[in-house]
């Protein structure tokens, strides 16, 4: 950490020297991007080590931006950091809560250009915003924390990561990372907008640093897991980080009502209370009694009273499916096969559940009554996984490699009339039906990805017309969306995995 601190000190000295020679200090140019009237301006106060940007500007959102930008051209990796604050306003009405101070990497000055930025809102909200292509809608990853003391945006290749210091502690990641390509040279700088085209506002940037990021060896890198709630509407592509951790997470599953979300973390099942504004509280372990080695195949029942789990009852024993009272009690075993069985879905009426028996990519789908009774085998070709019921209980979506490549299929709930739904060159898996039955979310990866963490696309199928659209890209695998994680028709949770310098990943555990 000492070398890293010295880098900040050295850049601060360079900043002081540069500001004496150039009115923009670290930067070379300034301009309004989009429609800003009256024109924005900047002022560098070298003695106070701060920039003050004054601008109107409607927003950096949707397909076009309007803000004032102070920037320089850059190539290669870079890190831009600052403390961002909002001076007292000089107008009669209240400021817009979404006035913004920006730390931005941008392709060019076109109002619809691709970019990545850290947006600090006047309300205290912090978000990693980005536009992947010219004219595309802006997306963001939001962090519901009090206004941090400092923010930093690092570019390493095509990976951009938001780092913060909440109260002066070392910079650390908060689960907000995006992969996006900017051609060289690109622009890097600071920006401001009032979020009200008729109002001129000011944003202060102090202790501004523009430097090259560290590049640790592979041994100095660590994987961060992020639990993110994603909004699927094209026009409002927001995502909110509920929890980030250095410990492995997988298989998010919302409890009815959305007050808790369950995940498999550090080898056990935990319930994470979701606070207001939306952020995860302290996880609490799920009481599974004497059961051992529970996997990430679990799900809270539709009535919220019980949870289905996939666990063993002895060391190194086969996994079987059990139902456990959600707040503690004796497990009830539902399956008794000679091979391990793994829960996947509750029927909408809560009377039965679907599970798979076998190994990854060599399993079949079964159903079993929750009250106990005979298992019913629904597939017979041992190439099936990930079953999920439709909201009316008539059909089951699942993934299968029976056609030679992993694709999404649908069959009647009794296993009859299997029909292939997707047929592209990708490996498609983990289909999950939304609560209103109008959407099916699934994961799409390169056909050779296997079980490894790789570039993954969240896609949405609309059964009414068969259309498929991409929602977002991230690093993930089947565990990112193993269970049905829809909160409502417009939000679902997933797990992203990002590899970062170890010093930026805060150690967390349940």
């Amino acid at each position: 950490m000492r070398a890293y601190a010295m880098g900040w000190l050295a850049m601060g000295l360079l900043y002081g020297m540069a500001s004496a020679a150039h009115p923009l200090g670290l930067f070379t140019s300034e301009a309004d991007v989009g429609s800003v009237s009256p024109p924005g301006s900047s002022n560098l106060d070298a003695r106070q080590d701060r920039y003050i940007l004054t601008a109107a500007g409607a927003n950096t959102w949707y397909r076009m931006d309007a803000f004032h930008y102070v920037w320089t051209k850059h190539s290669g990796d870079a890190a831009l950091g600052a403390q961002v604050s909002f001076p007292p306003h000089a107008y009669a009405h209240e400021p817009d809560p979404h006035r913004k101070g920006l730390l931005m990497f941008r392709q060019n000055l076109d109002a619809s250009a691709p970019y990545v930025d850290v947006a600090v809102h006047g309300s205290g909200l912090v978000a990693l915003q980005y536009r992947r292509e010219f004219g595309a809608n802006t997306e963001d990853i939001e962090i519901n924390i009090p206004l941090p003391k400092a923010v930093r945006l690092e570019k390493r290749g095509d990976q951009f990561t938001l780092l913060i210091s909440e109260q002066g502690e070392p910079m650390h990641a908060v689960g907000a990372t995006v992969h996006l390509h900017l051609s060289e040279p690109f622009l890097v700088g600071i920006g401001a907008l009032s979020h009200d085209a008729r109002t001129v506002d000011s944003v202060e940037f102090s202790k501004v640093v523009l430097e090259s990021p560290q590049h640790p060896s592979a041994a100095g890198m660590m994987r961060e897991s992020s639990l993110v709630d994603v909004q699927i509407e094209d026009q409002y592509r927001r995502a909110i980080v509920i929890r980030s951790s250095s410990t492995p997470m997988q298989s998010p599953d919302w409890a009815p009502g959305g007050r808790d979300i369950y995940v498999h973390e550090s080898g056990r099942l935990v319930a994470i209370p979701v606070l207001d504004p939306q952020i995860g509280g302290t996880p609490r372990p799920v009481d599974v009694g004497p059961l051992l080695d529970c996997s990430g195949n679990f799900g809270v029942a539709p009535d919220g009273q019980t949870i289905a789990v996939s666990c063993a009852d002895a060391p190194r024993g086969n996994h079987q499916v059990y139902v456990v009272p959600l707040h503690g009690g004796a497990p009830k075993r539902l399956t008794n096969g000679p091979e391990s069985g793994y829960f996947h879905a509750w029927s909408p009426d809560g009377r039965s559940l679907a599970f798979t028996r076998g190994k990854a990519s060599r399993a079949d789908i079964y159903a079993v009554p929750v009250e106990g009774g005979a298992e019913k085998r629904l597939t017979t070709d041992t190439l099936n996984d990930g079953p999920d019921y439709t909201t009316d209980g008539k059909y089951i979506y699942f993934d299968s490699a029976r056609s030679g490549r992993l694709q999404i299929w649908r069959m009647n709930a009794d296993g009859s009339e299997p029909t292939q739904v997707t047929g592209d060159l990708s490996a498609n898996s983990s289909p999950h039906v939304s609560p209103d039955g109008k959407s099916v979310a699934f994961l799409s990866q390169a056909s050779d990805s296997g079980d490894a963490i790789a570039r993954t696309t969240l896609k949405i199928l609309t059964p009414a017309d068969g259309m498929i659209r991409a929602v977002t890209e991230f690093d993930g695998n089947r565990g990112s969306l193993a269970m049905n994680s829809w909160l409502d028709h417009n939000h679902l949770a997933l797990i992203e995995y990002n590899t970062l310098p170890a010093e930026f990943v805060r150690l967390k555990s349940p």
Side-chain angles (χ1 to χ4, degrees):
M1 288 300 295
R2 182 177 181 181
Y4 182 67
M6 289 298 291
W8 276 72
L9 177 59
M11 286 307 299
L13 293 173
L14 289 174
Y15 167 79
M17 295 169 61
S19 64
H22 196 285
L24 295 179
L26 294 172
F27 309 107
T28 59
S29 305
E30 66 177 308
D32 290 328
V33 175
S35 176
V36 179
S37 180
S41 63
S42 68
N43 177 51
L44 170 59
D45 184 342
R47 292 184 179 181
Q48 296 294 323
D49 189 15
R50 66 180 181 180
Y51 292 81
I52 296 180
L53 272 60
T54 301
N59 207 353
T60 48
W61 196 249
Y62 299 126
R63 293 179 170 86
M64 296 185 67
D65 304 326
F67 69 104
H68 189 69
Y69 193 32
V70 178
W71 53 273
T72 189
K73 288 186 178 181
H74 197 89
S75 295
D77 294 347
L80 179 63
Q83 296 181 7
V84 182
S85 60
F86 298 85
H89 59 283
Y91 41 85
H93 59 86
E94 286 299 309
D96 191 287
H98 295 293
R99 55 182 175 160
K100 298 183 181 75
L102 311 170
L103 276 60
M104 178 182 284
F105 290 75
R106 190 176 186 92
Q107 189 62 75
N108 57 39
L109 296 178
D110 189 296
S112 298
Y115 73 89
V116 182
D117 73 27
V118 175
V120 178
H121 297 233
S123 64
L125 174 69
V126 177
L128 181 68
Q129 293 187 164
Y130 55 98
R131 178 182 293 120
R132 293 188 180 276
E133 300 174 348
F134 276 96
N137 260 331
T138 289
E139 305 175 46
D140 79 2
I141 304 172
E142 298 178 3
I143 313 296
N144 283 321
I145 58 175
L147 181 65
K149 183 176 180 64
V151 293
R152 180 176 171 97
L153 180 58
E154 291 208 351
K155 176 188 181 297
R156 298 168 183 269
D158 290 343
Q159 177 174 292
F160 294 83
T161 301
L162 165 61
L163 306 169
I164 70 167
S165 172
E166 295 177 71
Q167 298 177 349
E169 76 282 4
M171 286 283 176
H172 56 85
V174 285
T177 294
V178 64
H179 290 78
L180 185 151
H181 181 71
L182 295 178
S183 300
E184 297 179 345
F186 48 83
L187 311 181
V188 57
I190 55 178
L193 60 94
S194 65
H195 204 265
D196 180 349
R198 300 166 297 178
T199 298
V200 175
D201 218 327
S202 296
V203 183
E204 180 178 306
F205 301 81
S206 59
K207 302 187 185 304
V208 180
V209 176
L210 176 59
E211 62 186 356
S212 297
Q214 291 180 312
H215 287 84
S217 65
M221 303 295 283
M222 180 178 289
R223 180 167 289 155
E224 178 190 54
S225 301
S226 299
L227 171 60
V228 182
D229 182 42
V230 178
Q231 193 168 358
I232 69 165
E233 284 185 17
D234 282 334
Q235 196 169 10
Y236 301 99
R237 191 61 55 74
R238 289 191 171 106
I240 297 175
V241 178
I242 297 174
R243 176 172 171 80
S244 62
S245 177
S246 61
T247 56
M249 285 191 287
Q250 62 173 322
S251 307
D253 180 69
W254 283 102
R259 294 183 178 179
D260 293 306
I261 187 167
Y262 288 73
V263 299
H264 187 266
E265 181 175 356
S266 288
R268 59 178 176 171
L269 304 179
V270 299
I272 301 172
V274 180
L275 311 178
D276 186 17
Q278 193 176 27
I279 193 169
T282 302
R284 60 182 187 273
V286 175
D287 182 2
V288 295
L291 299 179
L292 307 171
D293 191 29
C294 296
S295 75
N297 300 86
F298 65 92
V300 180
D303 64 4
Q305 299 302 305
T306 58
I307 183 170
V309 297
S310 308
C311 309
D313 59 6
R316 295 181 296 279
N318 282 344
H319 283 73
Q320 301 293 344
V321 179
Y322 297 80
V323 175
V324 183
L326 196 60
H327 301 294
K332 176 183 178 181
R333 181 167 169 170
L334 297 183
T335 65
N336 295 280
E339 293 184 280
S340 289
Y342 297 94
F343 166 84
H344 276 280
W346 288 88
S347 64
D349 60 11
R351 295 181 179 179
S352 64
L353 52 79
F355 69 98
T356 59
R357 176 171 290 133
K359 299 179 181 180
S361 301
R362 298 294 298 175
D364 271 308
I365 299 171
Y366 295 74
V368 64
V370 173
E371 296 302 320
E375 302 171 0
K376 181 176 182 179
R377 186 170 182 170
L378 304 181
T379 62
T380 58
D381 48 12
T382 66
L383 295 168
N384 310 280
D385 205 353
D388 193 40
Y389 287 92
T390 55
T391 53
D392 58 11
K394 294 181 179 179
Y395 303 100
I396 292 175
Y397 281 89
F398 62 104
D399 56 69
S400 176
R402 64 181 69 188
S403 64
R405 181 177 283 112
L406 193 63
Q407 298 294 325
I408 307 301
W409 288 68
R410 193 184 79 170
M411 61 184 174
N412 293 329
D414 63 4
S416 63
E417 300 183 18
T419 302
Q420 188 171 344
V421 176
T422 65
D424 55 30
L425 299 179
S426 301
N428 300 317
S429 66
S430 299
H432 296 296
V433 182
S434 63
D436 63 2
K438 296 181 179 180
S439 302
V440 180
F442 65 94
L443 301 181
S444 185
Q445 296 179 306
S447 59
D448 59 353
S449 297
D451 294 328
I453 293 173
R455 294 303 295 162
T456 302
T457 302
L458 173 67
K459 293 186 176 181
I460 299 294
L461 161 72
T462 51
D465 56 16
M467 297 295 292
I468 296 174
R469 60 187 174 90
V471 174
T472 190
E473 293 183 358
F474 60 99
D475 282 354
N477 60 11
R478 182 187 283 271
S480 297
L481 195 71
M483 300 295 102
N484 190 317
S485 60
W486 286 94
L487 174 61
D488 55 39
H489 72 282
N490 189 34
H491 298 82
L492 79 164
L494 52 82
I495 305 290
E496 300 182 0
Y497 305 102
N498 298 300
T499 302
L500 304 170
E503 64 180 300
F504 293 149
V505 182
R506 290 198 297 182
L507 299 179
K508 288 185 181 180
S509 60

